[in-house]
Amino acid sequence: QGLALAGAGRMSEAVIALERAAQLLPQNARVARNLGLGLASLGRTAEAERALRRGAALAGLDPEPLRALVSFLLEQGRPQE
């Protein structure tokens, strides 16, 4: 539901749905990544970074959460991290 809302440009609602999903699926790296991306798009950078770091930590062999974190840090002007 969160991704559908985001795709429709309803990012605030998407983040609410993704926050619920993250509570229900706390070990899901992709949910954490999607939440982080949504938060970042709303300018909630501290929360976004926490979610993206969580997603990267949970990712295992899935490269997408780590890729999202790296992109976020580069956009924040923090390539050294």
Side-chain angles (χ1 to χ4, degrees):
Q1 183 183 13
L3 295 178
L5 289 166
R10 297 164 56 187
M11 196 53 67
S12 293
E13 293 171 79
V15 166
I16 291 168
L18 289 165
E19 287 172 332
R20 280 192 300 252
Q23 289 174 344
L24 294 171
L25 302 166
Q27 300 302 312
N28 188 305
R30 292 244 173 167
V31 169
R33 178 203 66 172
N34 292 337
L35 175 58
L37 294 174
L39 289 164
S41 74
L42 293 177
R44 295 166 58 181
T45 56
E47 294 168 275
E49 183 173 345
R50 279 193 298 275
L52 291 168
R53 286 189 183 279
R54 178 159 178 73
L58 294 170
L61 297 176
D62 182 357
E64 291 305 316
L66 182 57
R67 188 174 293 132
L69 174 61
V70 170
S71 293
F72 172 81
L73 292 172
L74 289 173
E75 289 171 9
Q76 297 299 306
R78 296 162 49 199
Q80 71 283 3
E81 292 182 49

